[in-house]
Amino acid sequence: MRLTHSAGINQSIRSRILALVLLFALPAAPAAASNELPSLGGPDASIISPEKERVLGQAWLRAFRAQVPVMHDPLLQEYTENLVYRLAGSSDLKDRNLTVVLVRHQTINAFAVPGGIIGVHTGLITSAQAMDELASVLAHEIAHLSQRHFTRRVEDANKTYAPTLAGMLTGMILAATVGGDAGMAVMSATQAAAIDRQLRFSREHEQEADRIGMQTLVRAGFDPEAFPRMFERMVAASRYAGERPPEFLLTHPVSDSRVSDTRNRAAQYPRMGDYPKDSEFPIMQNRIRVGFEEPGRAVKVFRGELANATNEDERTAARYGLALALARTGQLDEAAKTLDPLLEAEPERISFAVTRAELHMKANEFKEAAALTHRHLQFAPGNYPLQVFFAQAAARTGQAEAAEDALRALLQQRPGDPYLYYLLAEANGLAGNIVGVHVSRAEYMYLSGDMEGALEQLRIASQRTRNNYQLNARIKRRMAELSLIQRELPL
């Protein structure tokens, strides 16, 4: 499932973006006794608090979700999050409470937003040839966060002109919308040029992110050579693409000298032998690729890859992609026959078990899907994709309470996940809990950037609970909280 969005940015959205910029415009720092600004030489020398960054970042994320095609794929989400947290655990990042956002777009891009938000375009995942290469880009973005480059640049710029952190984030929303073109179209040439300047890190910050990012990459156990390899791939892609380079290069320009610098830096690290390949990475790539191909053509593509595979990993990935492609064309029996040998060979591999549950659900075999995911949860308790598919299947087999319990348990771990509230609303509906439907929809809409819709859902829920004082009081309290956020942060 993914959110749907219009191709452009309407006047209402532009107004909300402008409100964000005006609200969070940073005034010039008050002069110190010496009439000099405090030192901005490091990540801790900042007059903008991390708390303010987080508030602004979460507001930005809600606006972003309202405009950009965000992907909700539990398997892919968990894989990417695990990679980001593995890197963050080896980084200089102090606050490792991160939010990973998957953008359903074929552009090669990733970004980091103050407040601990890491965005990954699906095109970046499919363009990398190994997990190490994807990790190198994410390590670079984590370095921008750990060194607080956004905030340091805004504060430093206050000496000469007054760009704002909110303005930079607004530009990132605009640039990310439909690959960048539609976003830039709503701005005048002058505005676009100003945003472009604000989004580009300085040469020094990029070099620092390269250096610290590579340190993070190596500490996390990845191949340092992946860093220059990925840069070289992006530079080559820009040459083939002509005037339009990969989105990543628009805000992180990569020159030949910078590629050379990263290659020289990688050579300084001792080789740790052959770095192991991640067999799950091509599985995740093929989940993405299937969604961007015409279904019939995807079947032909993966049949060809299966026939031409030269090793077991290639055969496994091609067979997996073929099973997904067959399912998209409605050939569910053939898809199951294609996938089942993989699950039989590796019965505890979660990606195969979850995908088999997906096929059961597509065939309306909800009891089988619930049983399969429940069985796997015995050895992988709390697993995000397993619990999601168990909840969906259980809700359709009359196990509404079990479905709601599974989703609420996940929400304890992931309170800012709008997809879980979307699924909870569905489970509430199947259970006949109409008030629950409205409350869950309200949280989904709030996290997805639709504050008016969220408040309307809570108003309906309040009307339906007039005779239940405690529940009505909780709903009204949440309405007051969202109303306050709307007044202070009109997004």
Side-chain angles (χ1 to χ4, degrees):
M1 173 215 165
R2 67 181 180 88
L3 301 180
T4 55
H5 305 266
S6 61
I9 300 178
N10 60 33
Q11 184 61 42
S12 173
I13 292 174
R14 287 201 295 271
S15 297
R16 286 188 290 165
I17 291 173
L18 179 60
L20 174 64
V21 174
L22 294 176
L23 182 67
F24 278 93
L26 298 172
S34 62
N35 294 321
E36 292 181 355
L37 290 172
S39 170
L40 300 174
D44 296 323
S46 174
I47 59 172
I48 304 172
S49 71
E51 290 74 20
K52 185 168 185 177
E53 283 186 1
R54 181 160 294 279
V55 169
L56 180 53
Q58 290 302 311
W60 177 91
L61 180 57
R62 294 194 295 272
F64 183 82
R65 285 175 176 150
Q67 300 160 58
V68 178
V70 176
M71 187 177 227
H72 297 291
D73 180 325
L75 273 175
L76 188 60
Q77 183 75 31
E78 184 186 55
Y79 181 87
T80 311
E81 285 179 355
N82 286 343
L83 179 55
V84 167
Y85 276 104
R86 176 178 168 182
L87 291 163
S90 298
S91 75
D92 297 332
L93 198 61
K94 292 183 178 178
D95 183 356
R96 295 173 183 173
N97 180 19
L98 303 173
T99 301
V100 177
V101 184
L102 291 173
V103 179
R104 189 183 184 278
H105 207 280
Q106 289 178 289
T107 47
I108 302 173
N109 200 16
F111 52 86
V113 173
I117 297 161
I118 303 284
V120 184
H121 285 219
T122 51
L124 174 68
I125 299 173
T126 55
S127 68
Q129 290 192 355
M131 180 177 63
D132 298 66
E133 294 185 3
L134 173 61
S136 71
V137 178
L138 299 180
H140 178 94
E141 295 301 329
I142 289 171
H144 280 309
L145 285 181
S146 70
Q147 302 308 302
R148 301 188 72 199
H149 285 158
F150 288 92
T151 303
R152 287 164 59 191
R153 184 154 48 89
V154 167
E155 292 175 343
D156 187 56
N158 276 335
K159 298 172 184 177
T160 54
Y161 67 100
T164 69
L165 185 57
M168 290 164 54
L169 299 186
T170 299
M172 291 183 70
I173 292 179
L174 295 172
T177 305
V178 197
D181 295 334
M184 290 303 180
V186 304
M187 297 183 291
S188 69
T190 302
Q191 289 173 317
I195 291 293
D196 182 64
R197 284 195 304 272
Q198 292 170 20
L199 289 177
R200 290 176 185 265
F201 288 108
S202 70
R203 181 181 303 176
E204 291 76 16
H205 284 173
E206 287 294 350
Q207 289 174 341
E208 186 175 41
D210 288 348
R211 176 178 57 80
I212 293 175
M214 188 171 291
Q215 289 174 355
T216 297
L217 193 70
V218 173
R219 287 176 193 158
F222 292 105
D223 183 0
E225 294 289 343
F227 221 114
R229 281 202 307 269
M230 193 62 189
F231 277 174
E232 286 171 342
R233 204 176 313 290
M234 289 184 189
V235 171
S238 67
R239 288 169 181 158
Y240 291 132
E243 295 182 359
R244 184 70 179 179
E247 298 291 321
F248 184 84
L249 300 190
L250 294 178
T251 51
H252 303 71
V254 177
S255 63
D256 289 336
S257 63
R258 187 171 165 201
V259 172
S260 178
D261 287 343
T262 56
R263 183 163 294 286
N264 291 336
R265 189 173 292 116
Q268 296 172 13
Y269 288 93
R271 295 291 299 176
M272 305 299 292
D274 291 332
Y275 290 87
K277 291 185 178 180
D278 176 35
S279 61
E280 195 74 359
F281 183 68
I283 298 295
M284 295 300 110
Q285 286 184 308
N286 285 351
R287 281 186 74 84
I288 296 168
R289 290 175 60 203
V290 165
F292 285 110
E293 289 278 7
E294 187 277 324
R297 185 176 184 280
V299 170
K300 293 179 181 177
V301 167
F302 286 113
R303 284 196 193 281
E305 291 185 7
L306 183 58
N308 296 320
T310 60
N311 59 58
E312 193 58 34
D313 284 346
E314 289 181 1
R315 279 188 287 274
T316 296
R319 180 179 283 274
Y320 180 85
L322 177 59
L324 293 180
L326 288 166
R328 286 192 71 215
T329 62
Q331 302 177 68
L332 296 178
D333 288 341
E334 188 67 22
K337 290 177 183 177
T338 302
L339 181 68
D340 282 346
L342 300 181
L343 187 56
E344 290 168 6
E346 299 183 73
E348 294 188 356
R349 190 161 173 178
I350 289 174
S351 56
F352 295 163
V354 166
T355 305
R356 189 64 183 91
E358 286 183 287
L359 297 183
H360 279 310
M361 292 184 68
K362 286 179 182 291
N364 295 323
E365 298 166 352
F366 300 118
K367 288 184 179 179
E368 290 83 350
L372 176 62
T373 49
H374 183 267
R375 186 166 63 250
H376 278 76
L377 279 168
Q378 304 311 303
F379 64 82
N383 178 266
Y384 174 50
L386 281 173
Q387 278 196 276
V388 163
F389 282 96
F390 169 75
Q392 289 180 283
R396 287 163 175 76
T397 60
Q399 303 176 65
E401 186 175 344
E404 291 176 339
D405 287 347
L407 291 169
R408 289 198 177 98
L410 282 176
L411 280 165
Q412 291 294 316
Q413 307 165 29
R414 313 167 65 89
D417 189 336
Y419 183 48
L420 293 179
Y421 282 109
Y422 179 91
L423 296 178
L424 184 58
E426 284 190 338
N428 294 150
L430 291 169
N433 179 2
I434 304 305
V435 172
V437 170
H438 292 297
V439 171
S440 298
R441 281 180 180 171
E443 296 303 325
Y444 167 75
M445 290 178 174
Y446 163 64
L447 292 169
S448 300
D450 183 2
M451 184 68 85
E452 286 298 334
L455 288 169
E456 178 61 23
Q457 290 296 316
L458 290 174
R459 280 190 282 269
I460 296 171
S462 177
Q463 292 169 1
R464 287 179 170 271
T465 57
R466 288 174 178 169
N467 297 325
N468 185 331
Y469 175 78
Q470 289 185 331
L471 180 56
N472 187 265
R474 287 201 301 271
I475 292 170
K476 286 186 175 179
R477 185 162 56 247
R478 185 57 174 156
M479 289 176 65
E481 291 170 354
L482 295 193
S483 295
L484 179 62
I485 292 171
Q486 186 181 41
R487 288 194 301 272
E488 294 186 349
L489 196 67
L491 287 175

